[in-house]
Amino acid sequence: MTTTTQIMTEADTCRELVTPKLVNAGWGCAPHVIGEQRTFTNGRIIVTGGRVRRGKQKRADYVLYYRRDYPLAVVEAKELRLPAETGVQQVKDYAEILGLKFAYATNGHRIIEIDYTTGTEREVDRFATPAELWQRLIAATALPDPATPHLLESFNLISGKVPRYYQQIAINRVIEAILLGQKRVLVTLATGTGKTCVAFQLCWKLWNSRWNRTGEYRRPKILFLADRNILVDDPMAKMFAPFGDARHKIAGGDVSQSRDMYFGIYQALFTANEEVFRQYRPDFFDLIIIDECHRGSSRNDSNWREVLDYFSPAVQFGMTATPLREESRDSYEYFGNPVYTYSLRQGIEDGFLAPYRVHRVITTVDAAGWRPSKDELDRFGRPVPDDEYQTKDFERVIVLRARTKAIAKHLADFLKGTDRFAKTIVFCVDQEHAAEMRQELVNLSSDLVKQYPDYVCRVTADEGTIGLTHLAYFQNVDKPTPVILTTSQLLTTGVDAEMVKNVVLARVVGSRSEFKQIIGRGTRLRVDYGKEYFNIIDFTGTATRHFADPDFDGEPARIEEVTIDELGDQISATSTELETPSEEQAVEYEVPEEQIGLGGAGISINEPPLEPRKFYIDGGDVEVIGHLVYDLDTDGKKLQVVKYTEYSGRTVRTLYPTRDALQSAWANSNTRAEVLRELTERGISFEELAASADQSDADPFDLLCHLAWNAPLLTRRQRAEQARKAAQDLFGQYGDAAREILALLLDKYIERGIIQFNALSELMKVQPFDRFGSPTEIATRHFGGIKPFKEAVSRLQTALYQ
């Protein structure tokens, strides 16, 4: 037992003081689990200069579980020498993130209890027992006595995947709402955060604990409802497999009523010839889960609404990725406010979703519009109406083949410069546009198409089962092709393709809900396959407009804007501010329902349409025009276009108000690490910054000062020569070998910069230092020990920045 409090670490405090107190309170005795050092986020993925690293994970010292899968409280322990109050704010943050009603901050001797059920914060002499906290929770939530078995039923962990913290919160909140008698329940979870997992575990807990709306001792009848086969077939076959023979899909008039877990799409329940759903009694189902509920039956004017109205006795649970906006208001009016929301921003911040980089690419016709020449005829000899055509009109009213070629060329070049096998989805205006885009990309990638005929595929309603096969191979992480899919509406949602690295917008997306769904195609992570972030390549201004909206909750890591010419080549950048497009520009167009599902009628592009649906212009020149970085203004409400160098200078001034403040932090190797961390988290890479400023020989410190305060710019060689003069007394303290080592360190600084000093032991192992011995031998033989050696190097660094 440690007796000297001054040397007790936090780990000592936990082991010798906190854990025994928890055990004495009844925690750690089955079934009440003590979860020690529980990490509940993965740490944000930070991308700078093409390099990826993880941010800090959130980790609780203790999570206290009433049952294996039901946490009740979180505990934050600090060293004995620190006041217990030191951990209060941290543990409150953790409790609020984890959705817990009880939290404790302690230094081993004193204990502070935070009780969210009463709004109190007080010092107590012991930890509450599991039974005490459970009774407080039940009393505060007014849950009925029979609630316990349904809430505390264990998750199905046969897959080995434990639900993430936010999934557990969503599941428990829904069950609580159901047990409190709520008939309609809504959860909002960002695309890629596991809505299907939430639905499965919810069903499993209720099914296994024999909950049903009548209170009888029987398993519930559950219907999983969606508007596309892909949204029900995949969950039924994979996630819901543990239900075994209890599963049944309602299709082709097969309305078996002997199962428990049903799957169906509206189209199968509500056909043109028969209302199949009426073959079930209105009170047949206990629970109906509506996936992507912002589409379909929750809309007041939807034909499918009749299905939910018919099954009104059932509890209806809606899942959506769409926060409350005008286009999703019907869902919120029908279900009520969500019992839990987990946003895209939170998913990226926690490291469960991939961050994104946005490339804004502008063609000349998108920037300035297009107007036909006098008496101009289209491909089929029809006169083109004289008008000013804008981005919203392209491929809907007017088809400019040169624009499609320029976009395809730029995209092909982008892939050549990054990764030609990076899975890419191109969202086009309609099936016809998707076909033309596919053809251009095939011709631009002919070298790969020779070896991989399916390198580029169109997947729209027309492709039917062939399209589904292409999609299945595209989703398979072990299949190299298809690499590029062109589509219109079909892949905006319900497509779980983890390896999508590029989401390309070749059409205007006016609806923010649809935009979020489209962005969701790339947010899934597959770190083991090298998928750690993705690109949004925007040719229409859609991303810029939506990210500028203060209600949009996912800020980009960086937004770049490039301008391309008629060959798809990048040309010069400009530094101007983009205005948010008007409402007219942001208009969204209705898409025939048959084009959304597989099997819809196709559109020929070889014959002129029976009606003049579009005008086709095959000639003309289109160029691509800026490579800019966007940053939210200080209010976080508007995206401004700034150069990377301007962004970096402004960021430095925000972190360090004066040059002296930055110099003080930079000169010390310990505090310099914090400076580098802060800059990296804000997307500043010195390699990229030096290239942007065309100052490859500048010291990073001088480059930052130059950009932030217009300070004189010194090269690393100039700084090294100044240091040699300033450190004469330092060099004079040592023998020849030590002086040579310090001189070589300055030479290495000139060659590679100061950052390498952060890994001094590794630096000493390579040429030319290795000829002086191992790092330990260098320190002891020539400097009198490791500590004097580090002090000498620290003084050398200080001399560099005097």
Side-chain angles (χ1 to χ4, degrees), residues 127 340 364 675 728 757 792:
F127 292 102
Y340 184 66
T364 49
V675 176
Q728 288 298 321
F757 282 26

Side-chain angles (χ1 to χ4, degrees), residues 37-45 54-60 63 93-94 96-98 163-166 169 340 342 345-353 525:
Q37 295 298 312
R38 289 297 171 97
T39 298
F40 54 92
T41 71
N42 283 355
R44 180 175 184 148
I45 292 178
R54 283 276 188 182
K56 188 177 181 180
Q57 297 175 312
K58 288 186 172 65
R59 177 182 298 167
V63 177
D93 289 342
Y94 286 177
E96 289 162 18
I97 292 170
L98 295 171
R164 294 168 177 164
Y165 81 87
Y166 61 86
I169 298 172
Y340 184 66
Y342 188 74
R345 180 198 297 271
Q346 289 171 285
I348 293 174
E349 187 65 35
D350 287 344
F352 296 126
L353 295 180
L525 278 170

Side-chain angles (χ1 to χ4, degrees), residues 155-167:
F155 294 127
N156 183 305
L157 303 181
I158 194 170
S159 68
K161 292 184 178 180
V162 179
R164 294 168 177 164
Y165 81 87
Y166 61 86
Q167 294 169 337

